[in-house]
Amino acid sequence: EPVQRRWRAPARAPRRLVLVVDVSGSMAPYARLLLAYAHALAAARPRVEVFLLGTRLTRVTRELRERDPDRALARALRAAPDVGGGTRLGAGIGTLNRRHGARVGRGAVVVVLSDGWDRGDPAELGAELARLRRTAHRLVWLNPLKAQPGYAPLARGMAAALPHVDEFLEGHSVRALERLAALLEGPLSR
């Protein structure tokens, strides 16, 4: 008696999303908005990892899973002792690659929210972003300064990062974050 085979299409799970939020002094005017956005994503999606980046990288995914947004943001900011300080983007991305690479996993969409001002070596940032880009599905960079008329990526960190970035977007307003959400739900989700 012949057997009727049933084929199923492969299951499609949403891609893992990794947010790296710069919390240095130069990002202070945008930090609360970006952290609130990260909280909303962490609460709404199961496969989201959130890191704060200043002079070092701090994982705050667990802190942002709190339902109350004010308490979640306060817990996340307490977890990162270098909030409002300088930025070492290359060292932070290097820590992400080496220490959290297995958790982040291959094929993730990585979103860096930073103005690109960096105290570290631009060559280190370029090398670490190249390494991250080889494992990530897409690398998106949101820069709040990009919205200013006449903006050019002249900061050493931003200039070192751009060759490795798939999408370079504004990150200064709720409207810019809505564009990111549309991108994450559309072309980058596949």
Side-chain angles (χ1 to χ4, degrees):
E1 197 174 288
V3 176
Q4 184 177 10
R5 294 185 179 175
R6 294 181 187 242
W7 299 98
R8 290 179 25 181
R12 294 192 66 165
R15 288 194 181 274
R16 182 175 299 281
L17 177 63
V18 178
L19 297 170
V20 180
V21 181
D22 182 345
V23 290
S24 64
S26 63
M27 288 290 290
Y30 310 101
R32 181 134 178 103
L33 172 68
L34 297 176
L35 281 173
Y37 183 72
H39 173 261
L41 282 174
R45 294 177 60 156
R47 298 174 49 136
V48 175
E49 291 285 337
V50 182
F51 298 89
L52 300 184
L53 177 59
T55 55
R56 65 181 189 172
L57 187 75
T58 305
R59 181 175 181 256
V60 293
T61 305
R62 188 174 315 143
E63 288 80 0
L64 291 179
R65 296 265 186 229
E66 169 85 34
R67 285 185 179 254
D68 180 11
D70 292 328
R71 287 180 50 194
L73 297 183
R75 287 182 62 200
L77 291 173
R78 275 194 310 270
D82 55 349
V83 172
T87 314
R88 296 207 179 274
L89 292 170
I93 299 296
T95 302
L96 179 68
N97 286 334
R98 284 184 280 293
R99 188 176 305 156
H100 303 284
R103 181 181 300 124
V104 169
R106 294 176 102 35
V109 175
V110 180
V111 179
V112 179
L113 306 127
S114 174
D115 57 9
W117 289 44
D118 188 20
R119 291 186 178 182
D121 180 13
E124 178 186 19
L125 175 59
E128 293 297 343
L129 282 174
R131 182 177 178 186
L132 179 61
R133 181 61 193 96
R134 286 191 296 271
T135 60
H137 173 66
R138 299 298 253 176
L139 182 56
V140 179
W141 194 292
L142 266 68
N143 186 329
L145 302 179
K146 188 174 188 259
Q148 296 176 356
Y151 169 78
L154 300 178
R156 295 180 322 152
M158 198 68 252
L162 275 181
H164 310 287
V165 171
D166 295 308
E167 301 283 341
F168 183 49
L169 307 170
E170 300 171 358
H172 68 294
S173 67
V174 173
R175 187 168 289 134
L177 295 177
E178 287 172 349
R179 283 192 288 268
L180 173 64
L183 190 65
L184 292 175
E185 295 301 319
L188 295 184
S189 67
R190 298 177 193 100

